[in-house]
Amino acid sequence: METNLSWDLYKSFLAVVKEKSLSGAAKVLNIAQPTVGRHIDTLEEALKVSLFTRSRLGFMPTDAALRLLPYAESIATSATALIREVSDTSGAIKGVVRITASEVIGIEVLPEILSRLHANHPDLKIELVATNQAKNLLAREADIAIRMFKPTQQALIIRKVGETELGWHAHKDYLKRMGTPKNESDLLKHSLIGFDEETPFIRSFKSKFANIERKNFSFRSDSDLAQLAAIRNGFGIGICQAKLAQRDPNLVRVLGKIVQPKLGVWVTMHEDLKSNLRFKTVFSALTASLSEYLGATV
């Protein structure tokens, strides 16, 4: 079996897995479609396995391809990390920093913070991954993470920047139309906004929100942004971060004295990055800005 294989072959392999076609992979990689096809043929010949089968859905990875996938992704992560590491040799604050945060923090909170950061350091290039799935810092899926849970992995620098309080909120027009619940029993009479699929995190918090079940929701979504949009547009009563609701004069908190759960917020990065000026700068800016944002009493 050939072991000295070009990284280009693995790039094409990953692109075909993601795009499910040679044409789609070629577009993403900005190379010719026949070139992608030759890369796949070369990789299959070298590894002596079939990597894809054609179906009505396109190129579908075989079992062999699925076994190869995590190794190819690891190579991609390492290659990206290598490029970032050597991209700054001047000591200037410039280059790429990849940040991951939850949907709500990433979309609702970070843009203002990152805009100020970029104004001060225009040579920085920010990549933002707004997702509720935890990206692996040790595998360099991101450089810096903002977590709503305390990281437990080793070899990480971790800073708690505060807590964010959660609560039931509704648009003032909805409450004017439907009335304001006085207790948790009243809450069940309203149009509620909540989750679709129950996760371990949701199960751990249900008791703090009157043990509301999926069946009680009139609007169900696993996207925090979709839930927030439904609250803002007067669909009903839903849970959101109190800090965000305070920014919108149309949103009113209900049962605030009864329901007051809090989530901790941490900023973290791999300790190997602490000596790199651009990562250190972004980490410090995020820590300071988020501490300021979360600092006032809700």
Side-chain angles (χ1 to χ4, degrees):
M1 179 184 297
E2 175 63 49
T3 58
N4 187 23
L5 298 175
S6 167
W7 160 230
D8 288 337
L9 305 185
Y10 293 104
K11 282 200 296 185
S12 292
F13 166 72
L14 288 171
V16 175
V17 170
K18 182 178 180 180
E19 300 299 325
K20 295 184 172 59
S21 71
L22 297 180
S23 59
K27 184 176 181 180
V28 168
L29 297 172
N30 195 30
I31 59 177
Q33 180 175 331
T35 301
V36 177
R38 285 196 299 272
H39 286 172
I40 298 302
D41 291 343
T42 300
L43 190 59
E44 287 182 326
E45 182 178 348
L47 298 178
K48 302 187 184 308
V49 294
S50 177
L51 296 174
F52 296 97
T53 57
R54 290 181 177 271
S55 75
R56 59 184 180 83
L57 299 177
F59 276 63
M60 304 305 295
T62 62
D63 289 343
L66 294 176
R67 292 195 301 271
L68 176 64
L69 185 58
Y71 299 101
E73 290 174 336
S74 178
I75 294 172
T77 299
S78 297
T80 301
L82 184 149
I83 292 171
R84 289 178 187 165
E85 189 63 30
V86 301
S87 65
D88 182 11
T89 58
S90 64
I93 301 174
K94 65 179 183 180
V96 178
V97 179
R98 189 172 181 84
I99 302 168
T100 182
S102 68
E103 282 186 344
V104 170
I105 294 294
I107 302 302
E108 296 286 336
V109 179
L110 287 188
E112 180 180 349
I113 294 173
L114 296 176
S115 293
R116 293 198 303 266
L117 177 65
H118 186 257
N120 292 329
H121 305 289
D123 291 329
L124 277 176
K125 299 184 185 300
I126 302 296
E127 296 177 352
L128 177 60
V129 183
T131 176
N132 291 340
Q133 296 181 349
K135 295 297 182 180
N136 190 337
L137 295 183
L138 300 184
R140 297 300 295 272
E141 293 179 344
D143 302 313
I144 299 174
I146 298 164
R147 303 290 199 212
M148 312 304 286
F149 58 89
K150 186 176 182 179
T152 58
Q153 291 176 303
Q154 301 296 314
L156 296 179
I157 298 173
I158 303 168
R159 298 285 185 272
K160 185 174 183 180
V161 293
E163 294 181 328
T164 184
E165 191 169 306
L166 305 178
W168 292 103
H169 292 81
H171 194 284
K172 62 182 182 181
D173 290 345
Y174 172 85
L175 297 177
K176 183 178 180 180
R177 185 174 73 250
M178 304 301 296
T180 301
K182 304 300 182 184
N183 51 51
E184 293 180 348
S185 296
D186 281 353
L187 194 63
L188 292 173
K189 301 174 185 177
H190 284 264
S191 297
L192 299 183
I193 298 163
F195 62 84
D196 183 32
E197 181 179 346
E198 186 173 300
T199 65
F201 173 79
I202 289 173
R203 283 193 291 273
S204 70
F205 261 78
K206 277 175 60 177
S207 63
K208 300 178 181 180
F209 289 102
N211 283 310
I212 302 296
E213 300 289 345
R214 181 183 183 277
K215 65 183 179 181
N216 299 124
F217 296 126
S218 299
F219 180 96
R220 302 167 186 158
S221 176
D222 291 326
S223 168
D224 294 339
L225 292 175
Q227 292 183 30
L228 183 58
I231 296 170
R232 285 172 169 165
N233 285 277
F235 188 98
I237 302 174
I239 297 166
C240 73
Q241 295 179 24
K243 276 289 184 183
L244 289 180
Q246 287 178 342
R247 293 178 165 185
D248 190 337
N250 291 315
L251 295 187
V252 178
R253 186 168 182 176
V254 300
L255 305 181
K257 294 182 179 180
I258 301 175
V259 182
Q260 299 175 317
K262 295 181 179 180
L263 287 176
V265 183
W266 289 264
V267 180
T268 183
M269 72 175 178
H270 198 289
E271 63 181 10
D272 288 349
L273 303 181
K274 64 184 178 182
S275 61
N276 186 295
L277 187 57
R278 74 176 183 277
F279 297 124
K280 182 179 179 180
T281 299
V282 174
F283 184 87
S284 297
L286 290 174
T287 300
S289 296
L290 288 170
S291 295
E292 181 182 0
Y293 168 73
L294 297 168
T297 301
V298 175

